[in-house]
Amino acid sequence: MDALSSGPELYQLFMRYLLPVLCVLILSVCAPKDDIPEIDTLINSIKETGAISDTSERRQELDQIWESLISNNQVPFTENETALFLYRGEAESVSWNGDFNNWSGNTDVKTSGENIDGTDIWMWKTTFPSDARLDYKVTINGDNWILDPANPHQQWSGFGPNSELRMPDWEQEILTEAVPEIPTGSISDNILIYSDAMGYPIHYRVYLPNGYETMENLPVLYTTDGQEYSDPKLGAVPTVLDNLIHQQRITPVVVVFVSPLNPDNGSENRRADELGNNEGYLSFFTDELIPMIEASYNVDSDANSRVILGTSLGGLNAAFFAFSRPDIFNGVAIQAPAFWYREEIYDIARDSEVQPDKIFMSVGTIGDNTDDARKMKRIFENKDLEFVYMETNEGHSWGAWGAQADDILLHFFGK
């Protein structure tokens, strides 16, 4: 084409060759930058806002950013494996303590926040597995531990509520939620029994499945820390039982929730003594409590129908019971075991000539007794035992233990 080409010919040339090139260039400039993480975009936005010289304008822009985060439940802000903890308020220092640093016990994990210049916003950026769920609190000026005021998600512990970090791929266990429409079992008030073996009274509660009156030879689950396993905000075991029984996924089961709290003084918790490989406490179960339960309820008296469950020190205790007396407990569920408390438990399990047939053990990978559980797992493997082992990206928390109740119940009582 020469310089004297007509207008229509120039138009055709533009449409055919030049326009596609221009479109590609425009899209490359205007398209979102997917390689820039949203968290970094948020941080940069806050920093840019903090640099606004006009105080009123800066405050207004910060309010808009913060209100958007609150309304979208984005505190903490999570993306893939990154978590951005945020706090807004006047302070000399802000940090975050929780499962991830053993509630300030692990000083190798640095959780101090950075105050963003020109703002009252503090942040701490870190990484966790994308499916992690962890308990935490915000610590103001080193000694004021508070729930995160910007985070509506909470998980209760034995000491009250904590704020909850939910990473993007974490999935909530719906079976811990009560369903008003389904029939429920009953749970007794505290029942008192005097233990000659321990030299003091002990109380417990009993869960009976819906329709219990027409049932016979039911299996029995015994739990230590029963006041917490039975609490709907903690272990939520009765709720999970109701849901699974209604769905016909497990055989109906009786549960005995044994409490370590002194019946005469609820602030006195005796678990540190009772659950530390205590022969007297084992005798209480085998010689006093179990005979009482089997004389009072429609339950099977065979060891194959009994399971002992516990968490932390209770996990240690459960292992001690089952490997010391598999003729009594042929099933054992061990959660977050504190085997470090009585390390002779490894020898007891390793040296036992007879062991329980059904074993479940679980532990968290963040601030939990992970090494203890893995060491026992190797002993189980060397003994060629059949067992279920579970690790979750959570901490030493009822949020993890309650969510595993269905796994435990299905393993031992599933149809």
Side-chain angles (χ1 to χ4, degrees), residues 64-133:
Q64 290 178 355
I65 293 173
W66 194 253
E67 289 167 7
S68 176
L69 290 170
I70 298 297
S71 63
N72 289 288
N73 288 333
Q74 290 180 311
V75 178
F77 194 99
T78 62
E79 181 182 11
N80 300 324
E81 295 185 342
T82 304
L84 182 68
F85 289 83
L86 295 161
Y87 173 77
R88 190 177 188 191
E90 297 296 332
E92 294 180 5
S93 68
V94 176
S95 61
W96 288 263
N97 293 293
D99 292 324
F100 38 79
N101 69 340
N102 289 329
W103 297 93
S104 77
N106 183 356
T107 56
D108 292 334
V109 179
K110 305 303 181 184
T111 66
S112 297
E114 170 193 350
N115 178 226
I116 300 177
D117 288 343
T119 79
D120 57 355
I121 295 177
W122 297 74
M123 69 174 187
W124 172 52
K125 183 180 176 183
T126 189
T127 59
F128 298 110
S130 64
D131 62 348
R133 189 217 61 84

Side-chain angles (χ1 to χ4, degrees), residues 73 75 136 147-148 151-155 162-166:
N73 288 333
V75 178
Y136 74 94
L147 291 169
D148 190 334
N151 182 1
H153 300 303
Q154 296 180 4
Q155 170 60 50
N162 294 317
S163 293
E164 185 178 55
L165 168 70
R166 298 177 173 185

Side-chain angles (χ1 to χ4, degrees), residues 71-281:
S71 63
N72 289 288
N73 288 333
Q74 290 180 311
V75 178
F77 194 99
T78 62
E79 181 182 11
N80 300 324
E81 295 185 342
T82 304
L84 182 68
F85 289 83
L86 295 161
Y87 173 77
R88 190 177 188 191
E90 297 296 332
E92 294 180 5
S93 68
V94 176
S95 61
W96 288 263
N97 293 293
D99 292 324
F100 38 79
N101 69 340
N102 289 329
W103 297 93
S104 77
N106 183 356
T107 56
D108 292 334
V109 179
K110 305 303 181 184
T111 66
S112 297
E114 170 193 350
N115 178 226
I116 300 177
D117 288 343
T119 79
D120 57 355
I121 295 177
W122 297 74
M123 69 174 187
W124 172 52
K125 183 180 176 183
T126 189
T127 59
F128 298 110
S130 64
D131 62 348
R133 189 217 61 84
L134 299 165
D135 291 14
Y136 74 94
K137 277 190 167 74
V138 186
T139 305
I140 312 300
N141 298 334
D143 58 2
N144 184 19
W145 294 50
I146 64 171
L147 291 169
D148 190 334
N151 182 1
H153 300 303
Q154 296 180 4
Q155 170 60 50
W156 279 72
S157 72
F159 302 97
N162 294 317
S163 293
E164 185 178 55
L165 168 70
R166 298 177 173 185
M167 294 298 285
D169 293 333
W170 175 77
E171 296 182 1
Q172 189 167 9
E173 176 53 73
I174 62 173
L175 290 173
T176 59
E177 300 296 324
V179 180
E181 295 79 15
I182 72 170
T184 60
S186 64
I187 186 164
S188 71
D189 293 331
N190 283 322
I191 301 170
L192 202 64
I193 178 174
Y194 186 86
S195 171
D196 290 327
M198 296 301 291
Y200 53 66
I202 296 172
H203 62 251
Y204 62 92
R205 303 176 74 191
V206 178
Y207 167 91
L208 301 176
N210 180 63
Y212 160 81
E213 296 78 8
T214 64
M215 300 173 181
E216 295 181 352
N217 297 322
L218 294 177
V220 188
L221 173 67
Y222 291 86
T223 84
T224 51
D225 290 312
Q227 81 286 2
E228 296 185 341
Y229 269 111
S230 60
D231 191 320
K233 299 190 296 293
L234 300 174
V237 168
T239 302
V240 178
L241 281 164
D242 289 338
N243 288 331
L244 289 176
I245 292 172
H246 177 70
Q247 295 173 6
Q248 299 184 9
R249 296 172 64 189
I250 64 170
T251 299
V253 57
V254 170
V255 184
V256 181
F257 296 101
V258 185
S259 173
L261 303 181
N262 183 345
D264 298 322
N265 179 9
S267 64
E268 180 187 349
N269 194 325
R270 303 181 294 206
R271 69 192 304 271
D273 175 58
E274 291 178 347
L275 305 182
N277 294 357
N278 190 319
E279 291 282 356
Y281 197 57

